[in-house]
């Protein structure tokens, strides 16, 4: 399917690895010119080179921490009026809520709620003027099905979800859509890091830990980042203009519900 995106521009946050990178590659395959962000300059440059070589699109890098005003300014200076914005950042640390300090809460709210909102605010009016815009927020399956030891993530991401639910309806008539992608388990560095910690606690190796998680999933496997990227690219397509304010769970069916 031609997604109708050739020649459009996108900012993809936190895209040197993992799900952000998969979204970047899928959009590049659809002909979108990219600005990708990440803190590690070497990893970011390597991702940009790989994606550009594989797809032939223009990929520029915006090194920096996207959760800071300075990091966002670098990306926005390179691409002040993107057609597409993919919001993403690292997830907050796990822990017992009794141990979460005010600083930890502020950092989580900043990274997973206020940063996406700041970027949306920066880019949405030109999208409205042009009559085309696609915004996708990478959140988490934990928004729909809370995980007890990641309260910072559950809380901050739910705040973003609530905010964009309203805004999405305000801008849909301009062919500007805002949707959220909710990853379940996907095979990324982050998943492997959390699996490694769990494996140590369980006294087994990381591959056995991942296999145990896969065995519990209705699809009997962990998600592939490319599958996540493809879903993201479709949400950004010209065909997806009537998909508004949705929370699309990509979890192999792990959330057990009829609807
Ligand atoms: P990942 O494999 O660890 O990749 C994270 C990417 O984000 C890297 O490119 C990293 O590069 C970049 N990044 C992190 N913090 C950043 C910041 N402050 N500014 C700029 N770039 C930043 O993680 P992932 O698995 O793709 O996860 C992406 C998001 O989905 C996270 O919020 C995660 O919590 C959420 N999620 C993932 C899963 C899963 O199974 N993978 C499940 C549920 C939710 P640098 O470190 O160089 O900055």
């Amino acid at each position: 399917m031609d997604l109708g995106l050739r020649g459009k521009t996108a900012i993809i946050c936190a895209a040197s690895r993992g799900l952000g990178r998969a979204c970047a590659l899928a959009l590049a395959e659809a002909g979108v010119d990219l600005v990708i962000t990440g803190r590690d300059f070497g990893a970011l440059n390597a991702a940009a080179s790989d994606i550009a070589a594989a797809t032939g699109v223009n990929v520029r890098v915006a090194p920096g921490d996207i959760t800071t005003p300075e990091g966002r300014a670098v990306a926005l200076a390179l691409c002040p009026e993107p057609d597409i914005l993919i919001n993403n950042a690292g997830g907050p640390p796990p822990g017992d809520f009794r141990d979460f300090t005010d600083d930890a809460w502020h950092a989580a709210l900043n990274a997973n709620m206020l940063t996406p909102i700041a970027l949306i605010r920066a880019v949405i009016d030109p999208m409205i003027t042009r009559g085309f815009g696609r915004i996708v927020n990478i959140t988490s399956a934990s928004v729909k099905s809370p995980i007890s030891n990641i309260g910072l993530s559950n809380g901050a991401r739910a705040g973003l979800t609530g905010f964009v639910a309203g805004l999405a309806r305000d801008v849909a008539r301009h062919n500007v859509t805002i949707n959220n992608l909710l990853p379940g388990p996907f095979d990324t560095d982050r998943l492997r890091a959390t699996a490694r910690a769990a494996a140590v606690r369980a006294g087994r190796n990381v591959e056995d830990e991942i296999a145990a998680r896969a065995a519990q999933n209705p699809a009997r496997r962990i998600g592939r980042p490319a599958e996540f990227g493809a879903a993201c690219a479709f949400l950004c397509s010209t065909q997806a203009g009537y998909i508004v304010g949705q929370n699309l769970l990509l979890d192999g069916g792990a959330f057990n519900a009829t609807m």
Side-chain angles (χ1 to χ4, degrees):
M1 182 191 288
D2 181 347
L3 300 181
L5 297 177
R6 194 153 297 282
K8 295 208 183 291
T9 57
I11 295 176
I12 324 256
C13 302
S16 58
R17 291 182 281 117
L19 302 179
R21 179 181 171 140
C23 294
L25 179 59
L27 287 168
E29 286 168 347
V32 178
D33 291 320
L34 309 178
V35 168
I36 62 172
T37 91
R39 293 164 300 181
D40 180 326
F41 189 55
L44 189 62
N45 261 333
S49 302
D50 290 352
I51 294 169
T55 62
V57 303
N58 183 12
V59 186
R60 290 175 296 162
V61 297
D65 184 339
I66 200 67
T67 70
T68 65
E70 298 77 19
R72 293 191 286 276
V74 173
L76 290 167
L78 287 173
C79 188
E81 298 190 358
D83 300 298
I84 295 165
L85 168 66
I86 311 299
N87 275 315
N88 184 31
D96 186 312
F97 91 95
R98 294 167 189 82
D99 300 327
F100 295 152
T101 62
D102 283 358
D103 284 350
W105 271 111
H106 289 146
L109 290 167
N110 179 48
N112 298 115
M113 179 183 176
L114 300 178
T115 289
I117 292 171
L119 284 164
I120 291 170
R121 185 180 177 200
V123 304
I124 203 164
D125 286 332
M127 289 179 173
I128 290 170
T129 302
R130 290 197 304 278
F132 181 89
R134 298 285 183 264
I135 298 172
V136 174
N137 303 304
I138 299 178
T139 64
S140 173
S142 71
V143 173
K144 202 168 163 80
S145 181
I147 301 169
S148 65
N149 74 333
I150 57 166
L152 291 172
S153 173
N154 298 339
R157 295 185 197 278
L160 174 67
T161 304
F163 170 73
V164 300
L167 182 62
R169 272 80 184 177
D170 292 340
V171 299
R173 67 182 179 280
H174 302 291
N175 190 25
V176 175
T177 68
I178 311 176
N179 292 287
N180 305 313
L181 278 177
L182 284 56
F186 276 84
D187 193 355
T188 66
D189 290 353
R190 177 177 168 89
L191 178 128
R192 285 183 173 271
T194 58
R196 209 168 291 120
V200 169
R201 285 195 300 275
R204 56 185 169 198
N205 71 41
V206 67
E207 294 306 331
D208 288 345
E209 174 65 26
I210 291 172
R213 292 184 186 193
Q216 287 168 8
N217 188 287
R220 298 292 186 270
R221 64 179 177 84
I222 301 296
R224 300 175 191 116
E227 295 172 312
F228 192 90
C232 178
F234 181 74
L235 280 183
C236 295
S237 70
T238 50
Q239 292 91 335
Y242 209 53
I243 302 178
V244 171
Q246 297 302 300
N247 289 282
L248 180 60
L249 189 58
L250 300 180
D251 70 346
F255 182 78
N256 193 26
T258 303
M259 287 192 278

